[in-house]
Amino acid sequence: AEVDVRGPKSIVDNISEVVAIIRLSGESDDFEKEVEVKAFNSNGEETTDLALNPAKVKARVMIVEGRNNKSVGIKTNLLGNPADGYYISKITTTPSSINVTGQSNILQAVNYLETQNIDISGVSSNLEREVLLKIPDGIALQQRESNKIKVTISFSENSISRIVVPKVEPKNLASNLNIDSLNSSEIRVTLSGKASVISTIDPANIILNIDLSDKGAGTFEIPITTSMINPINGVAISNISPSSVSVVISSK
């Protein structure tokens, strides 16, 4: 299953895979064969200036009848958990399904093939991996299907909510008027967004602007809307309570 590759570091570092090529010639039964292994670089070129140990491997090849064919899904196997505060938002495989063949009694029970394990421990940024499929006994990939699958995993930061008391700022009050009362102490604003953003917000920066430009002396119940709060990048306002504020205005 593994081959030790030795040689100049610059060449070894560029090796992407070691391959044992099995050439078929009409076999109809399972067989074992000793096969020479070859090393290939990232450009797909064979590299000969290396010592491979072992230089040959024993391959066991299982042959099944090709009359029974089926398209099945791919299940991605993951190990570990993402970094704190992150979750898996999307997993895609390329291809998303694969064509297999095999013994009818085994093929009937197979609805997907699993990938080799992908370790996502502590990961927070999107990653892309090429992994092998686990092929059950009695099942084979159809001709021209590759057992190497590209898996793309997307991670997103958890969202949280936080309730703050906004700073209320009356605006545009006529110069001949006074505000006698404004019950702003009961106002609560619920902020939602990424945890890294919400946790660092200073409530003093949450400003509720009350426009009094069309108000004279009297008592007014002014509806509160999200547009009256200064926007903060990456933050959504999910709730405001109460939904209005009472203002008492008198003449000077």
Side-chain angles (χ1 to χ4, degrees):
E2 295 182 354
V3 173
D4 183 48
V5 181
R6 295 181 182 272
K9 186 176 186 302
S10 59
I11 298 178
V12 172
D13 288 346
N14 199 33
I15 294 300
S16 61
E17 59 182 353
V18 175
V19 178
I21 299 176
I22 303 170
R23 303 194 182 279
L24 303 178
S25 56
E27 288 84 357
S28 59
D29 296 314
D30 298 351
F31 66 92
E32 289 189 357
K33 187 175 184 179
E34 193 172 54
V35 187
E36 183 180 359
V37 292
K38 298 181 179 181
F40 291 84
N41 61 25
S42 56
N43 295 322
E45 302 165 336
E46 182 181 353
T47 303
T48 57
D49 299 331
L50 296 169
L52 305 179
N53 183 29
K56 293 184 178 181
V57 297
K58 182 180 289 186
R60 180 169 179 261
V61 182
M62 300 185 67
I63 305 295
V64 297
E65 292 186 20
R67 293 193 301 269
N68 299 306
N69 302 317
K70 187 177 182 180
S71 180
V72 299
I74 297 170
K75 178 184 177 182
T76 305
N77 284 330
L78 304 178
L79 286 179
N81 297 303
D84 289 343
Y86 288 83
Y87 66 95
I88 298 171
S89 56
K90 187 178 182 181
I91 300 177
T92 58
T93 63
T94 306
S96 58
S97 62
I98 197 161
N99 298 311
V100 296
T101 184
Q103 301 171 13
S104 58
N105 61 323
I106 298 177
L107 194 62
Q108 186 177 4
V110 175
N111 295 313
Y112 57 83
L113 296 184
E114 297 185 21
T115 68
Q116 299 290 336
N117 292 331
I118 301 174
D119 191 354
I120 60 168
S121 300
V123 177
S124 60
S125 58
N126 297 345
L127 62 81
E128 188 177 283
R129 294 283 186 274
E130 282 195 340
V131 293
L132 297 176
L133 291 171
K134 298 179 181 179
I135 312 297
D137 289 344
I139 297 294
L141 301 182
Q142 290 187 25
Q143 191 175 8
R144 292 184 296 275
E145 291 281 21
S146 172
N147 73 330
K148 187 177 288 186
I149 301 297
K150 183 172 75 172
V151 178
T152 304
I153 306 175
S154 301
F155 297 84
S156 297
E157 191 175 352
N158 290 331
S159 293
I160 63 171
S161 295
R162 179 183 175 190
I163 298 175
V164 300
V165 177
K167 181 180 179 182
V168 177
E169 292 190 355
K171 302 285 187 180
N172 304 316
L173 182 67
S175 59
N176 63 332
L177 299 174
N178 285 322
I179 296 176
D180 291 341
S181 68
L182 177 63
N183 60 337
S184 61
S185 61
E186 298 178 358
I187 299 174
R188 300 292 185 271
V189 175
T190 303
L191 309 177
S192 300
K194 294 180 179 179
S196 59
V197 176
I198 297 297
S199 61
T200 59
I201 287 178
D202 184 353
N205 293 327
I206 307 301
I207 310 298
L208 174 60
N209 299 290
I210 307 294
D211 187 5
L212 303 175
S213 58
D214 61 345
K215 300 296 186 291
T219 300
F220 304 92
E221 197 72 22
I222 301 176
I224 301 175
T225 64
T226 56
S227 62
M228 297 165 65
I229 298 177
N230 61 309
I232 296 179
N233 190 32
V235 176
I237 299 170
S238 55
N239 186 58
I240 302 175
S241 179
S243 58
S244 63
V245 59
S246 179
V247 182
V248 179
I249 301 174
S250 63
S251 299
K252 289 184 176 178

